[in-house]
Amino acid sequence: MTRIAAVLTFVGVPAGLAITDGNIQTVMTVTLAFWLAVFTLFLRRRPLTVLIVSILSVIAWRTADLIGSGWVWPASAAAAALVLAGRLRTAVIAVGCGLLFGFAWDGYADIHHGGEWALAHVGGETLWMAAVLAAATAYRNTLRWRGEVAHRLAQDEHERELDARRRRAEERVEIARDLHDVVSHTLAVVGVHLNVALDAFDADPAEARESLRLAQEVRGRAMTDLKSLVGVLRDGSVEDLDGLDRLADQVRAAGLHVSLNEFGDRAEVPAPVATAVYRVVQESLTNTVRHAQAHKVAITLRYAPASVVVDVQDDGSSSADVADGHGISGMRERVAALGGALTAGPGKTGFTVRATIPFP
Protein backbone atom coordinates (compact mmCIF):
# COMPACT_ATOMS: atom_id res chain seq x y z
CA MET A 1 0.00 0.00 0.00
CA THR A 2 2.79 2.46 0.85
CA ARG A 3 4.56 1.68 -2.42
CA ILE A 4 1.40 2.41 -4.36
CA ALA A 5 1.03 5.71 -2.49
CA ALA A 6 4.66 6.57 -3.28
CA VAL A 7 4.20 5.90 -6.99
CA LEU A 8 0.96 7.88 -7.14
CA THR A 9 2.61 10.80 -5.33
CA PHE A 10 5.69 10.80 -7.55
CA VAL A 11 3.53 10.78 -10.69
CA GLY A 12 0.60 12.84 -9.41
CA VAL A 13 2.49 15.86 -8.04
CA PRO A 14 4.20 16.83 -11.35
CA ALA A 15 1.01 16.10 -13.27
CA GLY A 16 -1.10 18.21 -10.89
CA LEU A 17 1.33 21.13 -10.99
CA ALA A 18 1.38 20.99 -14.75
CA ILE A 19 -2.42 21.06 -14.93
CA THR A 20 -2.70 23.98 -12.48
CA ASP A 21 0.17 25.93 -14.08
CA GLY A 22 2.26 25.53 -10.96
CA ASN A 23 5.31 23.98 -12.63
CA ILE A 24 7.76 26.88 -12.46
CA GLN A 25 10.93 24.81 -12.47
CA THR A 26 10.73 21.18 -13.54
CA VAL A 27 13.76 20.22 -11.47
CA MET A 28 12.16 21.61 -8.31
CA THR A 29 8.83 19.99 -9.15
CA VAL A 30 10.44 16.56 -9.61
CA THR A 31 12.53 17.06 -6.48
CA LEU A 32 9.42 17.86 -4.41
CA ALA A 33 7.59 14.88 -5.89
CA PHE A 34 10.55 12.61 -5.11
CA TRP A 35 10.79 13.61 -1.46
CA LEU A 36 7.03 13.45 -0.94
CA ALA A 37 7.09 9.96 -2.43
CA VAL A 38 9.93 8.98 -0.07
CA PHE A 39 7.97 10.31 2.89
CA THR A 40 4.98 8.12 1.99
CA LEU A 41 7.11 5.02 2.50
CA PHE A 42 6.94 5.72 6.25
CA LEU A 43 3.18 6.23 6.38
CA ARG A 44 2.45 2.93 8.09
CA ARG A 45 4.70 3.71 11.07
CA ARG A 46 4.41 7.50 11.36
CA PRO A 47 1.37 8.77 9.45
CA LEU A 48 1.02 12.04 11.41
CA THR A 49 4.73 12.87 11.16
CA VAL A 50 4.70 12.19 7.42
CA LEU A 51 1.65 14.42 6.93
CA ILE A 52 3.14 17.32 8.88
CA VAL A 53 6.54 17.08 7.15
CA SER A 54 4.85 16.81 3.75
CA ILE A 55 2.68 19.90 4.33
CA LEU A 56 5.63 21.88 5.63
CA SER A 57 7.68 20.85 2.61
CA VAL A 58 4.96 21.98 0.22
CA ILE A 59 4.59 25.27 2.09
CA ALA A 60 8.37 25.82 1.93
CA TRP A 61 8.46 25.14 -1.82
CA ARG A 62 5.47 27.38 -2.40
CA THR A 63 6.65 30.35 -0.32
CA ALA A 64 10.06 30.14 -2.02
CA ASP A 65 8.32 30.31 -5.41
CA LEU A 66 9.76 26.97 -6.42
CA ILE A 67 6.22 25.85 -7.35
CA GLY A 68 3.33 28.06 -8.38
CA SER A 69 0.28 26.26 -6.98
CA GLY A 70 -0.84 23.98 -4.20
CA TRP A 71 -0.57 24.45 -0.46
CA VAL A 72 -1.82 21.07 0.75
CA TRP A 73 -3.00 18.86 -2.08
CA PRO A 74 0.47 17.43 -2.94
CA ALA A 75 0.26 15.77 0.49
CA SER A 76 -3.07 14.07 -0.32
CA ALA A 77 -1.64 10.56 0.12
CA ALA A 78 -0.36 11.39 3.60
CA ALA A 79 -3.72 12.91 4.61
CA ALA A 80 -5.60 9.84 3.35
CA ALA A 81 -3.22 7.51 5.20
CA LEU A 82 -3.80 9.35 8.46
CA VAL A 83 -7.57 8.98 8.02
CA LEU A 84 -7.18 5.26 7.33
CA ALA A 85 -5.21 5.03 10.57
CA GLY A 86 -8.34 6.25 12.40
CA ARG A 87 -7.22 9.85 13.02
CA LEU A 88 -9.68 11.83 10.92
CA ARG A 89 -9.84 14.78 13.31
CA THR A 90 -6.06 15.15 13.35
CA ALA A 91 -5.94 15.01 9.56
CA VAL A 92 -8.64 17.69 9.28
CA ILE A 93 -6.75 19.95 11.70
CA ALA A 94 -3.44 19.53 9.85
CA VAL A 95 -5.01 20.08 6.43
CA GLY A 96 -7.03 23.02 7.74
CA CYS A 97 -3.91 24.69 9.12
CA GLY A 98 -2.18 24.31 5.75
CA LEU A 99 -5.17 25.76 3.91
CA LEU A 100 -5.43 28.69 6.33
CA PHE A 101 -1.76 29.43 5.85
CA GLY A 102 -2.23 29.34 2.10
CA PHE A 103 -5.25 31.63 2.27
CA ALA A 104 -3.40 34.12 4.48
CA TRP A 105 -0.30 34.02 2.30
CA ASP A 106 -2.21 34.50 -0.94
CA GLY A 107 -4.25 37.30 0.59
CA TYR A 108 -1.14 39.09 1.87
CA ALA A 109 0.94 38.48 -1.26
CA ASP A 110 -1.73 39.84 -3.55
CA ILE A 111 -3.42 42.64 -1.61
CA HIS A 112 -4.82 44.24 -4.72
CA HIS A 113 -6.98 41.19 -5.50
CA GLY A 114 -8.37 40.97 -1.95
CA GLY A 115 -9.69 38.02 0.05
CA GLU A 116 -12.06 36.78 -2.64
CA TRP A 117 -9.19 36.14 -5.00
CA ALA A 118 -7.29 34.23 -2.30
CA LEU A 119 -10.42 32.27 -1.41
CA ALA A 120 -10.90 31.31 -5.04
CA HIS A 121 -7.28 30.14 -5.28
CA VAL A 122 -7.56 28.02 -2.13
CA GLY A 123 -11.19 26.98 -2.63
CA GLY A 124 -10.48 24.36 -5.30
CA GLU A 125 -7.79 22.81 -3.14
CA THR A 126 -10.20 22.81 -0.20
CA LEU A 127 -12.80 20.91 -2.22
CA TRP A 128 -10.18 18.42 -3.39
CA MET A 129 -8.95 17.73 0.14
CA ALA A 130 -12.52 17.42 1.41
CA ALA A 131 -13.17 14.79 -1.27
CA VAL A 132 -9.94 12.93 -0.39
CA LEU A 133 -10.77 12.86 3.32
CA ALA A 134 -14.36 11.79 2.65
CA ALA A 135 -13.24 8.99 0.31
CA ALA A 136 -10.65 7.77 2.83
CA THR A 137 -13.26 7.83 5.61
CA ALA A 138 -15.75 5.87 3.49
CA TYR A 139 -13.10 3.31 2.59
CA ARG A 140 -12.10 2.90 6.24
CA ASN A 141 -15.71 2.48 7.31
CA THR A 142 -16.16 -0.15 4.60
CA LEU A 143 -13.13 -2.06 5.88
CA ARG A 144 -14.41 -1.86 9.44
CA TRP A 145 -17.84 -3.06 8.38
CA ARG A 146 -16.34 -6.01 6.51
CA GLY A 147 -14.18 -6.83 9.49
CA GLU A 148 -17.17 -6.72 11.82
CA VAL A 149 -19.20 -8.94 9.51
CA ALA A 150 -16.33 -11.41 9.27
CA HIS A 151 -15.98 -11.37 13.07
CA ARG A 152 -19.68 -12.01 13.55
CA LEU A 153 -19.63 -14.83 11.01
CA ALA A 154 -16.65 -16.38 12.77
CA GLN A 155 -18.38 -15.97 16.12
CA ASP A 156 -21.57 -17.55 14.77
CA GLU A 157 -19.55 -20.41 13.33
CA HIS A 158 -17.86 -20.88 16.71
CA GLU A 159 -21.22 -20.91 18.47
CA ARG A 160 -22.57 -23.43 15.97
CA GLU A 161 -19.53 -25.61 16.58
CA LEU A 162 -20.08 -25.40 20.34
CA ASP A 163 -23.75 -26.27 19.87
CA ALA A 164 -22.76 -29.25 17.73
CA ARG A 165 -20.33 -30.41 20.42
CA ARG A 166 -23.03 -30.04 23.06
CA ARG A 167 -25.44 -32.05 20.96
CA ARG A 168 -22.85 -34.76 20.41
CA ALA A 169 -22.16 -34.87 24.15
CA GLU A 170 -25.88 -35.14 24.89
CA GLU A 171 -26.19 -37.91 22.32
CA ARG A 172 -23.34 -39.80 23.98
CA VAL A 173 -25.05 -39.47 27.35
CA GLU A 174 -28.30 -40.66 25.77
CA ILE A 175 -26.54 -43.66 24.26
CA ALA A 176 -24.93 -44.48 27.62
CA ARG A 177 -28.33 -44.35 29.31
CA ASP A 178 -29.91 -46.60 26.68
CA LEU A 179 -27.09 -49.12 26.90
CA HIS A 180 -27.33 -49.11 30.68
CA ASP A 181 -31.08 -49.64 30.55
CA VAL A 182 -30.93 -52.54 28.10
CA VAL A 183 -27.89 -54.31 29.52
CA SER A 184 -28.71 -53.90 33.22
CA HIS A 185 -32.30 -55.06 32.72
CA THR A 186 -31.19 -58.12 30.80
CA LEU A 187 -28.46 -59.04 33.26
CA ALA A 188 -30.86 -58.67 36.18
CA VAL A 189 -33.45 -61.01 34.68
CA VAL A 190 -30.86 -63.51 33.44
CA GLY A 191 -29.21 -63.44 36.89
CA VAL A 192 -32.48 -64.39 38.57
CA HIS A 193 -32.96 -67.37 36.25
CA LEU A 194 -29.37 -68.54 36.71
CA ASN A 195 -29.73 -68.38 40.49
CA VAL A 196 -32.90 -70.47 40.27
CA ALA A 197 -31.11 -72.95 38.00
CA LEU A 198 -28.19 -73.27 40.41
CA ASP A 199 -30.47 -73.82 43.39
CA ALA A 200 -32.55 -76.45 41.59
CA PHE A 201 -29.73 -78.12 39.65
CA ASP A 202 -29.54 -81.21 41.91
CA ALA A 203 -32.99 -81.26 43.53
CA ASP A 204 -35.10 -80.48 40.44
CA PRO A 205 -33.25 -80.80 37.13
CA ALA A 206 -36.41 -80.02 35.17
CA GLU A 207 -36.87 -76.70 36.92
CA ALA A 208 -33.20 -75.87 36.40
CA ARG A 209 -33.51 -76.69 32.72
CA GLU A 210 -36.59 -74.46 32.46
CA SER A 211 -34.77 -71.58 34.19
CA LEU A 212 -31.85 -71.91 31.79
CA ARG A 213 -34.27 -71.94 28.86
CA LEU A 214 -35.87 -68.73 30.14
CA ALA A 215 -32.46 -67.15 30.62
CA GLN A 216 -31.61 -68.05 27.04
CA GLU A 217 -34.88 -66.54 25.89
CA VAL A 218 -34.22 -63.30 27.78
CA ARG A 219 -30.74 -63.20 26.26
CA GLY A 220 -32.30 -63.45 22.80
CA ARG A 221 -34.69 -60.63 23.61
CA ALA A 222 -31.77 -58.53 24.84
CA MET A 223 -30.07 -59.00 21.50
CA THR A 224 -33.24 -57.69 19.90
CA ASP A 225 -33.15 -54.68 22.20
CA LEU A 226 -29.53 -53.98 21.30
CA LYS A 227 -30.39 -54.19 17.61
CA SER A 228 -33.17 -51.73 18.23
CA LEU A 229 -30.68 -49.42 19.94
CA VAL A 230 -28.38 -49.66 16.93
CA GLY A 231 -31.39 -48.72 14.85
CA VAL A 232 -31.83 -45.64 16.99
CA LEU A 233 -28.23 -44.65 16.32
CA ARG A 234 -28.54 -45.24 12.60
CA ASP A 235 -31.92 -43.91 11.59
CA GLY A 236 -33.37 -42.26 14.71
CA SER A 237 -36.03 -44.94 15.33
CA VAL A 238 -37.28 -45.12 18.90
CA GLU A 239 -38.90 -47.56 21.28
CA ASP A 240 -42.67 -47.16 21.46
CA LEU A 241 -45.20 -47.97 24.12
CA ASP A 242 -46.06 -51.30 22.50
CA GLY A 243 -42.85 -52.71 23.99
CA LEU A 244 -44.21 -52.34 27.53
CA ASP A 245 -46.11 -55.61 27.30
CA ARG A 246 -42.91 -57.43 26.36
CA LEU A 247 -41.10 -55.86 29.31
CA ALA A 248 -43.85 -57.04 31.65
CA ASP A 249 -43.66 -60.56 30.22
CA GLN A 250 -39.92 -60.70 30.82
CA VAL A 251 -40.35 -59.78 34.47
CA ARG A 252 -43.25 -62.21 34.87
CA ALA A 253 -40.93 -64.93 33.55
CA ALA A 254 -38.60 -64.09 36.46
CA GLY A 255 -41.33 -65.01 38.91
CA LEU A 256 -42.87 -61.61 39.71
CA HIS A 257 -46.52 -60.72 39.37
CA VAL A 258 -46.71 -57.70 37.05
CA SER A 259 -49.81 -55.65 36.33
CA LEU A 260 -49.88 -53.06 33.56
CA ASN A 261 -52.71 -50.53 33.68
CA GLU A 262 -53.21 -47.71 31.16
CA PHE A 263 -55.71 -44.87 31.26
CA GLY A 264 -56.24 -42.57 28.32
CA ASP A 265 -55.15 -42.63 24.70
CA ARG A 266 -51.51 -43.56 24.12
CA ALA A 267 -51.70 -42.64 20.41
CA GLU A 268 -51.31 -38.93 21.20
CA VAL A 269 -47.94 -39.38 22.94
CA PRO A 270 -44.99 -38.05 20.87
CA ALA A 271 -42.13 -40.42 20.08
CA PRO A 272 -39.51 -38.79 22.42
CA VAL A 273 -41.95 -38.96 25.33
CA ALA A 274 -42.87 -42.55 24.47
CA THR A 275 -39.19 -43.50 24.52
CA ALA A 276 -38.74 -41.85 27.91
CA VAL A 277 -41.78 -43.66 29.32
CA TYR A 278 -40.45 -46.98 28.03
CA ARG A 279 -37.02 -46.41 29.59
CA VAL A 280 -38.48 -45.32 32.92
CA VAL A 281 -40.59 -48.47 33.13
CA GLN A 282 -37.66 -50.63 32.02
CA GLU A 283 -35.24 -49.20 34.58
CA SER A 284 -37.85 -49.38 37.34
CA LEU A 285 -38.51 -53.06 36.62
CA THR A 286 -34.75 -53.70 36.52
CA ASN A 287 -34.32 -52.18 39.96
CA THR A 288 -37.25 -54.19 41.25
CA VAL A 289 -35.76 -57.48 40.02
CA ARG A 290 -32.24 -56.70 41.24
CA HIS A 291 -32.80 -54.94 44.55
CA ALA A 292 -36.37 -55.05 45.80
CA GLN A 293 -36.90 -58.77 46.59
CA ALA A 294 -40.49 -58.05 45.61
CA HIS A 295 -43.32 -60.39 44.72
CA LYS A 296 -45.42 -58.04 42.67
CA VAL A 297 -45.13 -54.76 40.84
CA ALA A 298 -47.84 -52.46 39.47
CA ILE A 299 -47.27 -50.24 36.42
CA THR A 300 -49.78 -47.45 35.90
CA LEU A 301 -49.77 -45.06 32.93
CA ARG A 302 -52.10 -42.10 32.71
CA TYR A 303 -52.29 -40.30 29.37
CA ALA A 304 -53.56 -36.74 29.48
CA PRO A 305 -53.89 -34.28 26.57
CA ALA A 306 -50.60 -32.60 27.49
CA SER A 307 -48.69 -35.02 29.73
CA VAL A 308 -48.03 -38.61 30.73
CA VAL A 309 -47.80 -39.83 34.31
CA VAL A 310 -45.82 -43.02 34.92
CA ASP A 311 -46.19 -44.83 38.23
CA VAL A 312 -44.27 -48.01 39.09
CA GLN A 313 -44.79 -49.49 42.57
CA ASP A 314 -43.53 -52.75 44.02
CA ASP A 315 -43.93 -54.44 47.39
CA GLY A 316 -40.25 -55.06 47.96
CA SER A 317 -37.80 -53.82 50.56
CA SER A 318 -35.47 -51.54 48.56
CA SER A 319 -33.53 -49.03 50.60
CA ALA A 320 -33.24 -45.33 49.96
CA ASP A 321 -29.75 -45.91 48.52
CA VAL A 322 -31.29 -47.31 45.35
CA ALA A 323 -32.72 -43.88 44.58
CA ASP A 324 -29.19 -42.51 44.26
CA GLY A 325 -28.01 -45.12 41.77
CA HIS A 326 -26.90 -44.56 38.19
CA GLY A 327 -30.14 -45.94 36.78
CA ILE A 328 -32.36 -43.61 38.81
CA SER A 329 -30.22 -40.58 37.97
CA GLY A 330 -30.32 -41.55 34.31
CA MET A 331 -34.11 -41.70 34.40
CA ARG A 332 -34.27 -38.37 36.18
CA GLU A 333 -32.01 -36.74 33.59
CA ARG A 334 -34.00 -38.21 30.73
CA VAL A 335 -37.29 -36.95 32.13
CA ALA A 336 -35.84 -33.54 33.00
CA ALA A 337 -34.56 -33.15 29.43
CA LEU A 338 -38.21 -33.26 28.30
CA GLY A 339 -39.30 -30.72 30.91
CA GLY A 340 -40.69 -33.27 33.35
CA ALA A 341 -39.93 -34.43 36.87
CA LEU A 342 -39.22 -37.81 38.44
CA THR A 343 -39.31 -38.94 42.04
CA ALA A 344 -38.08 -42.27 43.36
CA GLY A 345 -37.89 -43.66 46.86
CA PRO A 346 -39.27 -46.07 49.44
CA GLY A 347 -42.98 -45.93 50.15
CA LYS A 348 -45.31 -47.48 52.65
CA THR A 349 -45.53 -50.77 50.79
CA GLY A 350 -42.28 -50.86 48.82
CA PHE A 351 -40.42 -48.74 46.30
CA THR A 352 -42.17 -46.18 44.08
CA VAL A 353 -41.05 -44.43 40.91
CA ARG A 354 -43.28 -41.66 39.60
CA ALA A 355 -42.57 -39.48 36.55
CA THR A 356 -44.61 -36.72 34.96
CA ILE A 357 -43.60 -35.84 31.39
CA PRO A 358 -45.34 -32.93 29.62
CA PHE A 359 -45.63 -32.52 25.86
CA PRO A 360 -47.25 -29.88 23.63
Side-chain angles (χ1 to χ4, degrees):
M1 183 66 70
T2 54
R3 293 180 181 179
I4 295 176
V7 172
L8 292 177
T9 299
F10 185 73
V11 175
V13 170
L17 291 176
I19 294 173
T20 58
D21 295 328
N23 184 21
I24 298 177
Q25 298 182 31
T26 303
V27 175
M28 293 294 101
T29 298
V30 174
T31 302
L32 177 63
F34 172 79
W35 283 112
L36 292 179
V38 171
F39 293 158
T40 58
L41 296 177
F42 301 92
L43 282 174
R44 183 171 297 176
R45 295 182 179 179
R46 303 288 183 180
L48 178 59
T49 302
V50 171
L51 177 60
I52 294 175
V53 172
S54 299
I55 292 177
L56 292 177
S57 299
V58 175
I59 291 175
W61 250 257
R62 181 67 189 279
T63 55
D65 290 330
L66 300 178
I67 57 175
S69 64
W71 288 103
V72 175
W73 72 258
S76 298
L82 190 61
V83 173
L84 293 178
R87 305 177 68 176
L88 173 61
R89 181 178 300 178
T90 305
V92 171
I93 293 174
V95 170
C97 292
L99 292 173
L100 287 175
F101 181 86
F103 176 77
W105 180 270
D106 285 346
Y108 173 77
D110 213 327
I111 300 175
H112 298 290
H113 294 285
E116 294 182 359
W117 183 88
L119 181 61
H121 267 60
V122 182
E125 190 171 8
T126 302
L127 293 177
W128 167 257
M129 293 307 302
V132 170
L133 298 180
T137 301
Y139 181 70
R140 181 174 183 272
N141 290 338
T142 301
L143 293 180
R144 291 179 61 187
W145 175 77
R146 290 179 178 176
E148 184 177 354
V149 170
H151 175 71
R152 290 182 178 180
L153 290 177
Q155 188 175 11
D156 292 342
E157 181 66 24
H158 180 65
E159 291 178 355
R160 285 194 294 269
E161 183 179 354
L162 291 179
D163 290 339
R165 291 181 180 178
R166 271 196 300 269
R167 287 194 297 269
R168 288 194 293 269
E170 292 173 356
E171 289 172 357
R172 288 194 293 268
V173 173
E174 187 77 11
I175 293 170
R177 280 200 297 256
D178 290 341
L179 286 174
H180 171 269
D181 293 343
V182 172
V183 174
S184 63
H185 175 79
T186 302
L187 291 178
V189 176
V190 169
V192 171
H193 289 305
L194 292 179
N195 288 331
V196 172
L198 287 175
D199 294 338
F201 189 80
D202 295 327
D204 193 348
E207 183 179 356
R209 189 181 299 108
E210 178 65 15
S211 296
L212 292 175
R213 185 190 66 79
L214 292 175
Q216 182 70 15
E217 181 179 349
V218 172
R219 196 274 314 172
R221 291 173 180 173
M223 294 300 298
T224 302
D225 286 342
L226 291 176
K227 290 180 180 179
S228 299
L229 179 58
V230 173
V232 172
L233 300 179
R234 288 180 176 176
D235 56 21
S237 59
V238 296
E239 292 282 2
D240 56 28
L241 297 175
D242 294 335
L244 295 177
D245 293 326
R246 180 166 53 85
L247 283 178
D249 290 338
Q250 289 180 358
V251 178
R252 290 189 185 102
L256 274 73
H257 175 74
V258 181
S259 62
L260 176 60
N261 304 300
E262 298 181 79
F263 303 93
D265 186 5
R266 67 161 62 168
E268 300 296 329
V269 179
V273 177
T275 302
V277 171
Y278 180 91
R279 295 305 183 192
V280 168
V281 174
Q282 183 183 50
E283 179 62 26
S284 300
L285 293 178
T286 300
N287 288 337
T288 298
V289 172
R290 295 178 62 182
H291 305 294
Q293 300 179 354
H295 298 90
K296 62 181 180 179
V297 56
I299 306 169
T300 304
L301 303 176
R302 295 179 176 85
Y303 307 109
S307 65
V308 178
V309 178
V310 184
D311 192 278
V312 182
Q313 297 184 7
D314 61 48
D315 61 349
S317 57
S318 295
S319 65
D321 295 336
V322 178
D324 298 327
H326 176 75
I328 297 295
S329 62
M331 287 192 296
R332 187 175 289 111
E333 292 174 3
R334 184 190 298 275
V335 172
L338 295 174
L342 182 142
T343 58
K348 294 182 179 180
T349 59
F351 197 84
T352 301
V353 176
R354 174 167 294 181
T356 302
I357 308 175
F359 57 85

